């Protein structure tokens, strides 16, 4: 069974800590990215999320938002927790990052 709470690291060296998931499936935590497109100094950033709790599924789906402390952007992640053949918990996610732009004409380049 997958449990989201704890410290997670990806293959690029970014890491996050998810604090306790409450009875509604809500959680918060911290994200420290190892990569950025800005020249700003990377800082630990807060995250807020929700885990799908129906029937206490053993491989829950979840989503969370990171409000980057060092840039004018926000990233949303969605994914699912799995247990691999060796018994390791693995999060598989996709993300969208929205950067701030000054004009609607530049909207096309604001989401990655």
């Amino acid at each position: 069974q997958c449990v989201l709470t704890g410290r997670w690291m990806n293959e690029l060296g970014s890491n996050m800590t998810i604090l306790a998931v409450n009875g509604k499936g809500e959680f918060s935590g911290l994200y420290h990215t190892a990569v950025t497109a800005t020249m700003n100094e990377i800082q630990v950033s807060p995250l807020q999320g929700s885990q799908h709790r129906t029937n206490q599924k053993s491989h829950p789906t979840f989503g969370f938002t990171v409000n980057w402390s060092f840039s004018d952007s926000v990233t949303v992640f969605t994914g699912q927790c799995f247990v691999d053949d060796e018994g390791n918990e693995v999060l598989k996610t996709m993300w969208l990052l929205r950067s701030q732009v000054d004009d609607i004409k530049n909207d096309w380049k604001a989401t990655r």
Side-chain angles (χ1 to χ4, degrees):
Q1 178 171 338
C2 282
V3 178
L4 292 182
T5 56
R7 188 165 186 256
W8 298 90
M9 184 175 292
N10 71 14
E11 62 277 359
L12 299 175
S14 298
N15 66 78
M16 72 174 173
T17 301
I18 296 179
L19 306 174
V21 179
N22 71 20
K24 295 178 184 178
E26 301 163 338
F27 59 87
S28 62
L30 300 170
Y31 199 104
H32 186 245
T33 187
V35 296
T36 182
T38 74
M39 298 303 292
N40 299 337
E41 180 182 348
I42 293 173
Q43 298 174 16
V44 175
S45 299
L47 68 84
Q48 293 287 326
S50 182
Q51 172 183 324
H52 194 260
R53 303 279 294 175
T54 303
N55 298 328
Q56 302 296 310
K57 305 242 185 239
S58 60
H59 298 106
T61 57
F62 60 89
F64 61 90
T65 301
V66 178
N67 184 359
W68 300 110
S69 299
F70 58 93
S71 70
D72 293 331
S73 60
V74 172
T75 300
V76 293
F77 293 80
T78 186
Q80 186 170 358
C81 187
F82 294 98
V83 177
D84 68 14
D85 292 338
E86 288 82 43
N88 300 308
E89 295 172 320
V90 177
L91 303 182
K92 298 301 276 183
T93 63
M94 295 293 289
W95 55 268
L96 285 172
L97 179 139
R98 178 66 186 210
S99 297
Q100 185 269 338
V101 291
D102 293 330
D103 192 292
I104 195 168
K105 294 174 188 159
N106 293 320
D107 179 66
W108 65 273
K109 65 180 181 179
T111 302
R112 293 185 228 177

